[in-house]
Amino acid sequence: MGYKAMSIRDVLSAYEEGGIILPAIQRNYVWQEDQILALFDSLMKGYPVGTFLFWEVNDHELESFVFNSFLKDIDLVDQKVRGAEIEDESGSFLSVLDGQQRITSLLVGLSGSYRSKVKKERKVDGDYPKRYLCINPLFVPEDSSESYDFRFLSQEEINGSFDGKWWIKLSDILALKDSGEVYNTFILKSDFSKSASVEDINLTMTNVPRLISVINDDTLLSYYTAAGRSIEDVVKIFERVNNNGKAVSGVDLMLSLATVASGNEDMQTKIEASIRRVSAATPSSNSFVPDKNFILTAALLALQADSLSTSSVQNFAPKRVAKIYEIWDDIVDAICNASIYIDRLGFDGKKLRKSYMHPIVHYFYKMSQKKGPINASSYFDSLKNPNAKHDRFAITQWLIRALVNNIFVDGTGPTLKRIGKTIDDYFKNEPNPVFPLSLLRQNAGSRSLEVSVALIDEKILSLKSKDNETLPLLTLLFSGGIQTRYEVEHMWPRAKMDTQRHIEKCDSSLSLSAIEFYRDHYDTFPNLQILNRIQNSEKGEQYFSEWVKDSYPKDEDRRQYQTQFAIPTDESLYEYSKFQDFYKARSELLKERLVDFFAKDSLDLRQ
């Protein structure tokens, strides 16, 4: 079936008769005021405004999935941006798969209202008023660069001729049929004609009938109906037209099913609240924030589902979705704890691919099921609990091993299922569980978790200051894992190493090859250490040789610093001109430390 043309009046009639509805897979209404104004400007200019895609649904689909009514009164202040759920309906409906934002905008502009926060002077009785779409009929654009004068105004602003202009609500135009009714309504029966010029009257009699024609006669809208399609087909169509082929709508379909399974609780709202809760769990601006797909995948992993795909039809089954709902709060708790924990370890949650978070979330979920609720911050900070000490080491180890080995390159689902099963089996028989790094190393599959000397040379020693592995690894290597917001610091300062001009200013005798080495290596692992924020600020751009002497004037303290941070004891290498020699010597010391570090599955808990 090809595309069909329709008018705006056809859409309005379908809405008034209850014939068009929204599947819960659709997002909330998100258009801003200027987008609505631009839509009506395009309509007045006769521009096409895109096509619509409808899905013909019957009683079976109405019972199996959740649908919402369209909303014509948008309230951004009280967050009323989603229509009510449709209940106890029967018959045939057109469910909008593509065009929700435009159809809602037409309803808001022609028969509804728009409430949002406005400037103080535009409030009514101290509150944000409902505002209605209006047209100033005395303005006609001279060319395509100008727009028709549409505004959202309160009733008080309309009555007071806001901005010195005459405004007509579009909802007052909606009932009119022709120019005669326009003249009788807005010219003869209003005070406008008393002060209006002939030009004003002519403009009104041009613009308002034009708008009536746009609503009733012009067929600027076209649509395609997906009739007799399975839900799988509909999901694929929805993905293509809404997301450029990216598979995300399966998540929303599961949420639609979850709404049914949970006794009509709106799961779209529930999951948005869950995402906000995780986002607020840590004060860091770099904290991990999940999406819908992440939360549902975590739930499927906890339920040991055969498939972790949120586009898999078997995961749409009401019984499965009901089980997801049962463990929902526990899953969100686990995500919050994992987010807090990796933040305390020093990882940048925003940089971390979501796949790498799932095993940590799953571990915290299993821990809560085994031992009850967990407070990740307290658990992380514990100095007396040997399990807490182990986990700071083991979880950092696992994440770094997983990242440098790129363990998800062969596919996320199978890898996560293998990791999940390893953790599940471990928890069955372990009365006092910790993060099972040893077992995860043994059951790593085709992508090894081992860190060889070659990998240390190739990846670890090449880590840069902003790489996600750098701060946690430095922290664990040099402080044992407990950190008070350490920062990565360049021993040879960045400001003296990052350009040829800066390098030559510090030492004009260096060769071009040495200058190139300085530029290429100053921001890599062997030139990095950790300092607290005060120390880092105080060091500033000091030469390393000067800073060491100022910070550790006593030989004993200097030796302790050198031992702790794997620093060469030959202090002649600290001079600026000796950076290449220092770099090579420290690389060897770090390599020894890293080989020993990655040979362990846990710290000596007796320490």
Side-chain angles (χ1 to χ4, degrees):
M1 172 179 152
Y3 282 94
K4 293 184 177 181
M6 64 178 177
S7 67
I8 294 173
R9 175 65 67 181
D10 294 331
V11 173
L12 295 173
S13 298
Y15 166 76
E16 291 166 0
E17 295 168 4
I20 59 171
I21 57 178
L22 277 171
I25 61 177
Q26 290 277 22
R27 61 181 174 170
N28 293 336
Y29 183 73
V30 297
W31 269 27
Q32 299 297 311
E33 198 170 319
D34 57 347
Q35 292 174 286
I36 304 173
L37 303 183
L39 174 66
F40 278 87
D41 178 64
S42 295
L43 291 169
M44 282 290 283
K45 291 174 178 175
Y47 298 163
V49 292
T51 56
F52 298 84
L53 178 62
F54 299 148
W55 172 32
E56 226 175 72
V57 298
N58 53 34
D59 292 355
H60 173 69
E61 281 88 14
L62 286 171
E63 292 174 0
S64 300
F65 305 102
V66 177
F67 296 88
N68 297 89
S69 61
F70 270 87
L71 199 62
K72 69 174 184 176
D73 294 295
I74 296 297
D75 190 339
L76 299 183
V77 178
D78 291 334
Q79 292 301 305
K80 187 179 179 183
V81 289
R82 190 174 192 83
E85 182 184 326
I86 293 173
E87 300 178 357
D88 302 324
E89 295 284 350
S90 60
S92 180
F93 295 84
L94 290 178
S95 177
V96 178
L97 295 180
D98 186 36
Q100 171 206 2
Q101 305 294 322
R102 287 167 290 160
I103 289 177
T104 303
S105 297
L106 290 173
L107 297 174
V108 168
L110 293 169
S111 61
S113 62
Y114 190 88
R115 183 170 180 253
S116 64
K117 293 184 178 181
V118 294
K119 293 181 179 180
K120 183 178 180 180
E121 59 268 20
R122 297 189 66 189
K123 289 184 177 181
V124 176
D125 295 329
D127 198 5
Y128 302 109
K130 283 186 176 182
R131 292 181 293 131
Y132 308 92
L133 187 59
C134 303
I135 187 171
N136 165 26
L138 308 183
F139 177 78
V140 177
E142 293 184 1
D143 55 50
S144 60
S145 65
E146 290 187 320
S147 299
Y148 281 87
D149 200 357
F150 288 103
R151 304 275 185 91
F152 274 101
L153 303 175
S154 67
Q155 189 62 56
E156 286 74 7
E157 289 172 329
I158 299 168
N159 296 341
S161 298
F162 179 76
D163 204 19
K165 300 173 184 177
W166 183 40
W167 297 100
I168 299 177
K169 288 167 65 175
L170 267 61
S171 58
D172 291 340
I173 297 172
L174 191 59
L176 306 180
K177 296 178 182 179
D178 53 37
S179 298
E181 291 190 359
V182 172
Y183 190 82
N184 289 333
T185 302
F186 295 118
I187 305 300
L188 292 181
K189 297 180 181 180
S190 74
D191 293 333
F192 170 68
S193 60
K194 296 177 182 179
S195 58
S197 65
V198 173
E199 182 183 3
D200 289 342
I201 293 174
N202 288 338
L203 286 172
T204 300
M205 293 305 298
T206 297
N207 281 333
V208 177
R210 169 65 188 139
L211 187 54
I212 292 173
S213 178
V214 164
I215 295 169
N216 295 321
D217 303 325
D218 293 358
T219 53
L220 298 174
L221 315 179
S222 59
Y223 70 95
Y224 176 87
T225 301
R229 299 298 188 99
S230 68
I231 185 60
E232 292 83 6
D233 290 338
V234 169
V235 170
K236 290 177 181 177
I237 294 171
F238 181 83
E239 290 171 353
R240 180 61 58 84
V241 299
N242 283 281
N243 303 290
N244 297 320
K246 296 179 181 178
V248 297
S249 65
V251 175
D252 293 296
L253 182 56
M254 286 190 69
L255 294 177
S256 173
L257 289 165
T259 301
V260 176
S262 64
N264 295 326
E265 181 176 358
D266 184 353
M267 287 296 288
Q268 288 281 6
T269 301
K270 185 177 181 67
I271 199 167
E272 288 166 5
S274 298
I275 292 171
R276 290 194 298 271
R277 181 182 159 207
V278 176
S279 180
T282 70
S284 170
S285 60
N286 297 323
S287 61
F288 174 80
V289 179
D291 54 21
K292 298 174 184 179
N293 186 79
F294 183 90
I295 298 176
L296 289 168
T297 300
L300 292 170
L301 187 63
L303 293 172
Q304 301 178 2
D306 292 335
S307 168
L308 301 182
S309 171
T310 54
S311 294
S312 172
V313 176
Q314 62 184 316
N315 287 330
F316 298 163
K319 288 184 178 180
R320 170 62 53 74
V321 176
K323 289 181 179 179
I324 290 174
Y325 177 74
E326 288 175 7
I327 65 171
W328 187 274
D329 290 338
D330 291 337
I331 291 296
V332 176
D333 285 344
I335 297 172
C336 286
N337 279 324
S339 177
I340 292 168
Y341 201 85
I342 67 157
D343 183 71
R344 300 297 290 273
L345 287 174
F347 287 96
D348 186 334
K350 288 187 176 178
K351 288 182 180 178
L352 194 64
R353 276 180 51 195
K354 292 179 170 57
S355 305
Y356 292 91
M357 278 293 289
H358 274 299
I360 303 170
V361 170
H362 192 59
Y363 170 69
F364 276 108
Y365 170 77
K366 298 297 290 188
M367 282 283 284
S368 68
Q369 299 299 298
K370 188 93 172 181
K371 295 189 171 184
I374 295 171
N375 182 309
S377 294
S378 299
Y379 183 65
F380 181 91
D381 289 338
S382 175
L383 297 175
K384 296 181 179 179
N385 185 344
N387 288 11
K389 185 175 184 180
H390 169 277
D391 279 358
R392 287 192 295 270
F393 177 88
I395 292 176
T396 303
Q397 269 255 21
W398 181 84
L399 258 179
I400 292 172
R401 288 174 181 273
L403 288 166
V404 298
N405 281 291
N406 196 15
I407 65 167
F408 291 104
V409 72
D410 295 332
T412 301
T415 303
L416 274 183
K417 282 178 61 63
R418 183 178 62 253
I419 293 171
K421 186 176 187 307
T422 299
I423 294 174
D424 290 340
D425 291 345
Y426 166 71
F427 267 84
K428 287 178 184 176
N429 302 309
E430 178 55 54
N432 187 30
V434 292
F435 190 81
L437 175 62
S438 177
L439 290 175
L440 292 172
R441 287 176 66 182
Q442 294 172 29
N443 301 329
S446 61
R447 301 298 296 186
S448 172
L449 282 171
E450 300 312 303
V451 179
S452 63
V453 174
L455 198 57
I456 290 173
D457 280 329
E458 178 186 349
K459 288 194 174 181
I460 303 293
L461 294 180
S462 297
L463 288 173
K464 296 183 180 297
S465 59
K466 298 297 184 183
D467 286 338
N468 214 3
E469 302 94 325
T470 301
L471 177 58
L473 182 53
L474 287 171
T475 300
L476 202 55
L477 279 175
F478 301 139
S479 78
I482 289 289
Q483 61 132 327
T484 54
R485 290 298 171 193
Y486 286 119
E487 295 179 345
V488 178
E489 188 269 338
H490 297 83
M491 291 181 282
W492 262 253
R494 176 193 296 268
K496 299 182 185 299
M497 305 281 280
D498 57 350
T499 67
Q500 181 172 339
R501 182 172 64 85
H502 288 156
I503 296 168
E504 289 178 337
K505 185 177 179 180
C506 294
D507 189 341
S508 59
S509 68
L510 292 173
S511 66
L512 287 177
S513 62
I515 291 172
E516 184 177 357
F517 184 91
Y518 280 40
R519 285 205 321 264
D520 291 345
H521 293 83
Y522 80 90
D523 192 38
T524 55
F525 206 74
N527 189 41
L528 304 175
Q529 63 178 348
I530 51 170
L531 297 177
N532 64 45
R533 290 175 180 174
I534 295 175
Q535 290 174 316
N536 197 13
S537 177
E538 290 175 347
K539 181 178 183 298
E541 298 178 7
Q542 265 190 301
Y543 287 104
F544 183 64
S545 57
E546 296 173 357
W547 177 80
V548 171
K549 290 177 182 177
D550 290 345
S551 301
Y552 305 100
K554 294 182 180 180
D555 290 346
E556 181 181 350
D557 293 339
R558 200 156 58 252
R559 294 291 179 264
Q560 184 178 344
Y561 163 72
Q562 291 164 343
T563 300
Q564 180 182 352
F565 286 90
I567 305 294
T569 57
D570 182 356
E571 296 179 21
S572 68
L573 301 181
Y574 300 176
E575 297 302 323
Y576 188 85
S577 61
K578 297 290 187 179
F579 178 66
Q580 287 177 279
D581 295 330
F582 173 88
Y583 189 94
K584 181 178 179 181
R586 190 168 191 243
S587 295
E588 292 303 315
L589 292 173
L590 285 173
K591 190 183 303 184
E592 292 177 12
R593 184 79 63 92
L594 289 164
V595 168
D596 180 61
F597 174 80
F598 285 112
K600 297 177 180 178
D601 288 323
S602 65
L603 290 172
D604 184 351
L605 302 183
R606 295 169 297 179
Q607 293 179 351

